[in-house]
Amino acid sequence: MSFKVLTVFTILLCLLSVSAGLAVAQDDPFENAVTALNAKSFTQKQKAIDDLLAIKDPRAIPILRTMLAGDLYAQKSDDRIITRTKADKGYEHFDVITGESLGVAGSRDAKKISINNSLRNVLLTAIAKLGLSGDDPDVRLSAAKQMLKDVSPESVKLLKDALQVEVNDKVKQALNLAIAVIDVNSQETATRLDSIEVLSQSMESEVRVILNDVLKKDDQGEFVETDIQVINAARDALDRIEFKLGIYNQLKNLFFGLSLGSVLLLAAVGLAITFGVMGVINMAHGEMIMLGAYTTYVMQQLMPNALGTSLILSIPAAFIVAGLVGIAIERGVIRFMYGRPLETLLATFGISLILQQLVRSIFSPLNRSVANPDWMSGSVEINPALFLTYNRLYIILFSLLVLAALMLLLKKTRFGLHMRAVTQNRRMARAMGIRSGWIDAMTFGLGSGIAGIAGVALSQLTNVGPNMGQAYIIDSFMVVVFGGVGNLLGTFFGAMTLGIANKFLEPAAGTVLAKILILIFIIIFIQRRPRGMFALKGRAADL
């Protein structure tokens, strides 16, 4: 009897806990307010928006923005508020609060939550209030910038109230800018002039649109604006903004030039060592880059849920794979052709074709995409006119680290000492007991391995394909010849000079003409300095 009583008591407790949980879920004010967005009347919808505003839950901001964009729906089966995306067979539904997928349904299984102009203004105000009153400065800054796009005279009081309690300088600047955007249309000239002065300090695209509206002309070519002071102030502000934009565009070109120079440095530094030590024209050097990129792709396929770890592990893996292939090429082909540069050129060109076809047979001719890890995605915003992408920043730093490590290898290790000895005087190095054949193989492997590392970096900038190395082989030779054969410092300056020059010439002359002009410059330069910027002494000088 006691066992039955205990069982009944346990069942009652379970039922009570479930009912209590349901009661808590039903009494959640945030969920209730979100559900009320699907009310029949616009008055009830406005009350739901006011309730969300009173709760001050940051989850309400993306929901209200979705509603403002007209992408908020309610399922007909249970009135759950959802968003949806196009699927193969209908639309996939997602719970708007949790983001949980609710499966695929037909186009008529959900009803769009409609809004009118009055409700649209209520939504704008609510989104602004929620954003500007948040605890996170980034959220407040995003809300202030959003108001630049949806600014209205009714927002002035809201912006000024937020400005009085704001402590973050960036948010203050954005709030002042939004207020200035509204004050441009003031009835008082002094207020308009002050607002234009504030606008002149910003490079937001919306600011230039507003200033251009002030300078708008009619069909007869006359300014629509009648206040000459406002016209002159707007013209002066626009000129100052354009001047700043020009400076930041040049800085952007410099950044892209440095990133291109870093790629060229990684691609050319191995070639500089190989060419400097052995005098071999290696036309398969680009395929070593390709092998490194495909190694990165394979590592990512093996570790799809650990992109950062797979990328880091790809660096030594690509070095080993490309290095071993380089040693095999040197031992199998090139060592029989020393002193015959034209034959090595033809032989390595044939090897490059073989490697390309091998990759096509294994991976197919289609390009492969290598995803960036989270810490290499996105960009750092200096100002609205200048963004520095993380992947290019990391590649610049990575190329400098590789160069520094290589210089330490050459200056501080026994292998580096022997390699420099062979570079300067091969016969004397042999007489001192240095195995020049072994040095040749290891040097070729080292140069090929560094090219493989260059492929890892390139996989973060472009798609991986069988022909990707061919795009850099000619540029790599130009860098080596321009900087000085076998000189790492010359390779560094040559890569950075050509990378920056290329990016500054492209906007004015176009991609193809820019490369032609750079090639002409190098030809003229080599006529004056045949050994490049930094010429080696000894054996390399006689090549």
Side-chain angles (χ1 to χ4, degrees):
M1 185 68 179
S2 60
F3 176 75
K4 291 182 178 180
V5 172
L6 181 61
T7 303
V8 172
F9 182 71
T10 304
I11 293 173
L12 288 174
L13 282 178
C14 292
L15 291 174
L16 286 173
S17 63
V18 171
S19 61
L22 291 174
V24 171
Q26 290 174 354
D27 291 339
D28 185 349
F30 178 76
E31 292 187 11
N32 291 338
V34 172
T35 303
L37 293 174
N38 188 34
K40 294 182 179 179
S41 69
F42 290 114
T43 303
Q44 291 174 314
K45 291 179 182 179
Q46 181 172 342
K47 183 180 182 305
I49 296 171
D50 292 337
D51 291 341
L52 288 173
L53 187 58
I55 295 171
K56 294 184 178 180
D57 193 316
R59 293 179 296 171
I61 297 177
I63 295 175
L64 295 179
R65 283 179 178 169
T66 304
M67 185 177 180
L68 181 64
D71 296 327
L72 201 61
Y73 294 82
Q75 287 190 149
K76 291 182 179 180
S77 59
D78 56 3
D79 291 330
R80 182 181 291 195
I81 308 302
I82 62 165
T83 60
R84 66 182 192 179
T85 58
K86 186 70 175 175
D88 293 336
K89 297 180 180 179
Y91 291 85
E92 185 173 5
H93 290 189
F94 297 91
D95 187 286
V96 76
I97 298 176
T98 64
E100 175 189 2
S101 176
L102 304 176
V104 178
S107 59
R108 297 184 180 181
D109 291 335
K111 179 183 67 174
K112 179 182 287 190
I113 298 178
S114 59
I115 60 175
N116 57 13
N117 289 334
S118 176
L119 201 61
R120 186 174 287 106
N121 292 330
V122 172
L123 284 168
L124 286 171
T125 303
I127 292 170
K129 285 183 178 180
L130 285 171
L132 294 176
S133 62
D135 296 329
D136 189 349
D138 292 334
V139 174
R140 299 198 302 273
L141 180 62
S142 176
K145 288 185 175 181
Q146 185 66 31
M147 293 191 72
L148 285 175
K149 303 175 183 178
D150 303 313
V151 73
S152 62
E154 294 79 11
S155 306
V156 174
K157 184 179 184 307
L158 176 62
L159 290 167
K160 289 184 177 179
D161 290 344
L163 185 61
Q164 289 179 354
V165 298
E166 185 56 58
V167 294
N168 185 278
D169 291 336
K170 287 186 177 180
V171 180
K172 282 183 178 180
Q173 185 178 1
L175 292 172
N176 280 319
L177 188 63
I179 295 172
V181 168
I182 299 172
D183 287 345
V184 167
N185 298 317
S186 172
Q187 300 297 321
E188 299 179 3
T189 300
T191 302
R192 299 182 72 186
L193 293 177
D194 290 340
S195 68
I196 290 175
E197 179 61 29
V198 174
L199 294 178
S200 68
Q201 306 302 317
S202 172
M203 282 168 288
E204 297 282 355
S205 57
E206 291 81 7
V207 169
R208 299 197 298 278
V209 172
I210 292 168
L211 292 175
N212 280 315
D213 285 341
V214 174
L215 299 174
K216 188 182 296 182
K217 295 183 179 180
D218 56 22
D219 296 337
Q220 286 73 37
E222 300 293 333
F223 287 107
V224 176
E225 174 63 49
T226 56
D227 194 326
I228 190 64
Q229 287 182 283
V230 173
I231 292 173
N232 290 334
R235 184 189 291 118
D236 181 61
L238 199 57
D239 289 342
R240 280 186 283 171
I241 291 174
E242 294 295 341
F243 177 74
K244 292 178 183 177
L245 285 175
I247 293 176
Y248 285 113
N249 280 334
Q250 298 304 316
L251 290 177
K252 188 186 301 183
N253 289 335
L254 177 62
F255 172 69
F256 279 99
L258 289 174
S259 65
L260 175 60
S262 299
V263 172
L264 291 177
L265 175 63
L266 289 173
V269 69
L271 190 65
I273 297 172
T274 304
F275 195 21
V277 173
M278 295 176 288
V280 174
I281 302 176
N282 181 19
M283 294 301 294
H285 189 76
E287 277 54 54
M288 302 300 106
I289 298 174
M290 175 195 68
L291 290 177
Y294 272 102
T295 302
T296 309
Y297 169 74
V298 171
M299 292 293 293
Q300 192 170 101
Q301 298 304 305
L302 295 175
M303 307 173 65
N305 298 321
L307 297 180
T309 304
S310 67
L311 180 63
I312 293 174
L313 293 178
S314 296
I315 296 173
F319 180 85
I320 293 171
V321 170
L324 290 177
V325 172
I327 292 174
I329 292 173
E330 196 279 335
R331 290 288 87 187
V333 178
I334 293 177
R335 72 188 180 102
F336 303 108
M337 298 181 180
Y338 287 128
R340 294 177 288 176
L342 291 180
E343 293 185 19
T344 59
L345 185 151
L346 293 174
T348 54
F349 180 71
I351 292 172
S352 73
L353 297 179
I354 293 172
L355 291 175
Q356 288 180 38
Q357 189 56 47
L358 180 64
V359 167
R360 288 190 184 96
S361 300
I362 297 174
F363 297 100
S364 86
L366 301 178
N367 287 345
R368 302 292 180 176
S369 178
V370 177
N372 291 8
D374 292 338
W375 45 272
M376 286 191 71
S377 302
S379 60
V380 54
E381 179 182 354
I382 306 301
N383 57 51
L386 183 60
F387 293 83
L388 305 181
T389 55
Y390 285 124
N391 58 350
R392 293 182 181 273
L393 280 172
Y394 278 114
I395 287 174
I396 292 173
L397 294 175
F398 179 64
S399 66
L400 295 177
L401 288 175
V402 171
L403 180 65
L406 188 58
M407 293 185 74
L408 287 175
L409 177 68
L410 296 180
K411 299 291 185 182
K412 302 297 182 179
T413 66
R414 185 179 182 87
F415 170 72
L417 177 64
H418 288 179
M419 190 166 68
R420 285 184 288 124
V422 174
T423 301
Q424 294 175 9
N425 194 315
R426 179 179 292 268
R427 291 181 179 178
M428 183 60 70
R430 283 180 178 176
M432 296 297 294
I434 296 175
R435 298 166 57 192
S436 61
W438 183 84
I439 292 296
D440 288 337
M442 292 298 103
T443 301
F444 205 92
L446 176 64
S448 299
I450 295 174
I453 293 177
V456 177
L458 273 175
S459 69
Q460 300 300 299
L461 296 178
T462 185
N463 288 330
V464 176
N467 299 320
M468 66 178 300
Q470 294 299 308
Y472 292 92
I473 184 65
I474 302 300
D475 290 337
S476 298
F477 274 110
M478 287 197 297
V479 168
V480 171
V481 174
F482 178 59
V485 176
N487 191 298
L488 294 184
L489 185 62
T491 303
F492 170 76
F493 281 105
M496 293 303 170
T497 300
L498 295 184
I500 293 172
N502 193 66
K503 287 302 177 181
F504 274 93
L505 285 174
E506 278 184 2
T511 304
V512 176
L513 185 56
K515 288 186 177 296
I516 294 174
L517 291 175
I518 290 174
L519 179 60
I520 293 174
F521 164 75
I522 291 178
I523 292 173
I524 296 174
F525 180 84
I526 295 302
Q527 291 294 321
R528 302 295 300 270
R529 293 180 62 91
R531 298 177 183 174
M533 283 192 294
F534 298 87
L536 288 177
K537 296 181 179 180
R539 172 181 170 270
D542 299 327
L543 290 176

